[in-house]
Amino acid sequence: MPPPYTGVMTEIISQQFNQDLSRHLALFATKADDTFFLDTLVSDTAFTDCVVRALTTFGAGTGVTRLVNPADASKLVFVVVRDEKTTTREAFGELARAACGVDTLVVASQVTDVADAVEGGLLGAYVFDEYKEPKKAPLGALVLPVDDDAAVTRGEILAEATNRVRDLVNLAPNELYPEVLAQIAQDEASAAGCSVRIYREEELEEINAAGIIHVGRGSKNLPRLVRIEWAPEGAQGDTIALVGKGITFDTGGYSLKPSTAMTEMKTDMGGAATVLQTIVAAARLGVQRKVVGWLCIAENMVSGIAGHPDDVITYRNGVSVEINNTDAEGRLVMADGLLMASAEGSETIIDIATLTGAQMVALGERTTGIMGSDYAKELTELAAGVGEPAWHMPLPEHLRESLDSDVADMKNSGSRFGGMLVAGLFLKEFVSAPNWAHVDIAGPSFNRGKPYGVMPKGATGVMVRTLLAAVEN
């Protein structure tokens, strides 16, 4: 088993600003018409006047502008020009990315939203370098003029959780297969103070994890179900369960994907990674609520013992499912996790998965789809509150008919029109909880374009903040 990859994080230093200007500095500014206004702790007006003149000369727009430091030509000044839409998190993300290759960057502007600034800086500085040396090293250290250790710690924990999701999703599938992902979950959750149980072959049979067994049967890398529990002494409120899809690679099975659609299928375990790191973050933050996570892990491969279209499986609740599409495997494994969470009596269940291409057709590559009971609306609002784009989607009853089967209680794939919603309706059959939300991150989990805001190219770690907000709410 290969050792787990852990990327290098930018160091955050809290330190009162001094007037030594012969350093790499960062300033924040706004622009009205053609006039720039600096938010600065620098008292040297000659220095600030020079910065403003340079911004004016270059006609700087919204974003980060790099200037030669007027006090020391061997150093740089990074000016972040913000508009009314730019959040603190996004501004610091852009800043940290622009400052790659810099050893130490000193912020010379006031910082109010400290946790967001720390989180944004660490997310923006993220680089995945397991297989390739980056052209420039990530920012070494970010010095903030703040005195709020609690806020700094919170920002660091949130960023570390998100960046760890990115690490796991970016890893190659020949290194991150079911056994490895399950072991990483056990190691990292245990280290955070959680209890962990891994269901292997015999245990999966004992609990009749029909979907996980069937999807994983075609691979030499056998499937796993991982239960993680954070149960602090004196926990308050109801238990919340998080269920994550963990398909470490998805060929589509005998409903084989085209070659062009099979690349990037290492990312199909993003939901499980998100659940894992959300619970680790909750434990590190000492959240006073019981949280249970279910990681539904398998590898969907083609072989002489793989499942076929037309197979019928029966779940632990007695529901039989005809498999008419082996590439709709995510919902099959998620059903097992939802049944286990429901059996334990969790009042709130959130499942998260890179589930459908239809999510991207409906909402694009940056907006997460959320559906379920009335609670799904609340979760959508929580997402907006922590700066993660999401949209509440319906579960129209008439689409359920497309899942009807002639030989079983239901099929695993139905109408291609509203495919994201049909997948949600399938999962609904396995949920027994007053509060339930299904979160489809197929597009937002992986950025195929240029970096933006706090998002790098590649794995994004989307929805960690939202799930943590749900746990804390």
Side-chain angles (χ1 to χ4, degrees):
M1 184 182 300
Y5 166 79
T6 303
V8 177
M9 290 275 287
T10 297
E11 181 184 4
I12 299 296
I13 300 173
S14 299
Q15 189 178 88
Q16 184 177 356
F17 180 76
N18 64 59
Q19 297 298 321
D20 176 10
L21 303 182
S22 296
R23 300 178 287 177
H24 295 297
L25 300 175
L27 295 166
F28 288 82
T30 56
K31 182 179 181 181
D33 296 326
D34 293 325
T35 303
F36 292 91
F37 300 91
L38 292 183
D39 172 10
T40 178
L41 299 171
V42 176
S43 59
D44 186 337
T45 56
F47 178 95
T48 56
D49 287 347
C50 187
V51 170
V52 170
R53 283 197 301 272
L55 292 173
T56 303
T57 299
F58 292 128
T62 303
V64 182
T65 298
R66 286 188 288 187
L67 304 172
V68 174
N69 188 326
D72 184 343
S74 68
K75 306 296 181 182
L76 297 171
V77 175
F78 296 82
V79 184
V80 184
V81 180
R82 306 174 61 172
D83 59 22
E84 64 279 1
K85 297 179 181 179
T86 308
T87 67
T88 297
R89 190 182 290 110
E90 291 169 339
F92 272 86
E94 296 279 6
L95 171 63
R97 185 180 303 109
C100 62
V102 172
D103 290 335
T104 303
L105 181 63
V106 179
V107 175
S109 295
Q110 291 183 337
V111 178
T112 52
D113 300 324
V114 178
D116 287 356
V118 171
E119 182 189 1
L122 294 178
L123 294 179
Y126 175 83
V127 172
F128 181 72
D129 59 0
E130 172 72 343
Y131 309 118
K132 180 180 179 180
E133 187 74 23
K135 293 180 180 179
K136 292 183 179 180
L139 172 63
L142 182 63
V143 183
L144 301 178
V146 299
D147 184 17
D148 190 341
D149 290 344
V152 170
T153 298
R154 179 176 177 83
E156 289 177 330
I157 289 174
L158 277 166
E160 288 168 9
T162 303
N163 283 342
R164 187 59 178 145
V165 173
R166 294 170 173 179
D167 289 343
L168 294 173
V169 173
N170 282 327
L171 282 173
N174 58 316
E175 293 194 2
L176 190 76
Y177 42 89
E179 180 186 356
V180 174
L181 181 54
Q183 189 61 52
I184 288 173
Q186 182 171 50
D187 293 345
E188 297 188 6
S190 297
C194 302
S195 60
V196 182
R197 178 179 179 182
I198 299 177
Y199 294 80
R200 294 177 173 85
E201 297 88 288
E202 291 184 2
E203 293 96 333
L204 291 173
E205 293 284 355
E206 289 173 3
I207 64 172
N208 187 25
I212 292 174
I213 293 170
H214 193 273
V215 171
R217 62 185 281 185
S219 174
K220 70 174 184 178
N221 299 312
L222 298 175
R224 298 286 187 266
L225 175 65
V226 182
R227 183 187 185 276
I228 304 169
E229 179 180 303
W230 167 246
E233 185 176 350
Q236 301 174 357
D238 64 308
T239 298
I240 183 169
L242 308 177
V243 180
K245 174 185 173 183
I247 302 298
T248 58
F249 193 79
D250 181 18
T251 66
Y254 275 105
S255 303
L256 193 66
K257 293 179 182 291
S259 60
T260 54
M262 203 181 297
T263 53
E264 298 176 1
M265 283 300 102
K266 65 179 184 179
T267 69
D268 219 12
M269 37 60 66
T274 303
V275 168
L276 166 62
Q277 296 305 326
T278 298
I279 298 177
V280 168
R284 293 182 63 193
L285 290 168
V287 175
Q288 289 297 297
R289 187 182 188 183
K290 182 178 176 180
V291 189
V292 178
W294 296 93
L295 314 187
C296 309
I297 307 173
E299 191 174 54
N300 189 22
M301 302 293 285
V302 178
S303 74
I305 58 173
H308 330 88
D310 290 341
D311 283 352
V312 176
I313 60 175
T314 302
Y315 284 89
R316 58 185 285 123
N317 66 343
V319 173
S320 59
V321 174
E322 175 193 3
I323 298 171
N324 63 329
N325 182 357
T326 63
D327 195 24
E329 85 300 328
R331 65 199 69 179
L332 295 175
V333 302
M334 295 288 281
D336 288 313
L338 290 169
L339 285 170
M340 296 296 285
S342 297
E344 292 189 346
S346 299
E347 295 184 30
T348 300
I349 299 176
I350 302 172
D351 72 77
I352 181 167
T354 49
L355 205 61
T356 64
Q359 179 274 325
M360 290 181 276
V361 174
L363 297 174
E365 295 182 323
R366 296 187 183 183
T367 302
T368 295
I370 302 179
M371 63 218 78
S373 67
D374 287 343
Y375 176 72
K377 298 177 183 178
E378 181 180 335
L379 187 64
T380 306
E381 292 172 358
L382 285 175
V386 296
E388 296 200 291
W391 197 258
H392 178 252
M393 301 296 290
L395 291 176
E397 291 184 9
H398 73 274
L399 287 176
R400 172 61 180 81
E401 294 179 4
S402 70
L403 292 171
D404 289 345
S405 166
D406 293 334
V407 299
D409 292 322
M410 61 193 304
K411 297 183 294 188
N412 75 318
S413 182
S415 173
R416 62 184 292 267
F417 301 109
M420 171 173 55
L421 316 182
V422 173
L425 287 166
F426 178 91
L427 295 176
K428 183 181 178 181
E429 299 289 327
F430 301 91
V431 178
S432 178
N435 302 316
W436 166 60
H438 163 55
V439 182
D440 195 334
I441 55 170
S445 67
F446 198 80
N447 176 27
R448 296 155 183 85
K450 295 180 180 180
Y452 64 94
V454 300
M455 297 301 191
K457 185 174 184 179
T460 64
V462 69
M463 300 306 282
V464 169
R465 284 200 304 277
T466 297
L467 293 196
L468 184 61
V471 169
E472 292 181 315
N473 188 42

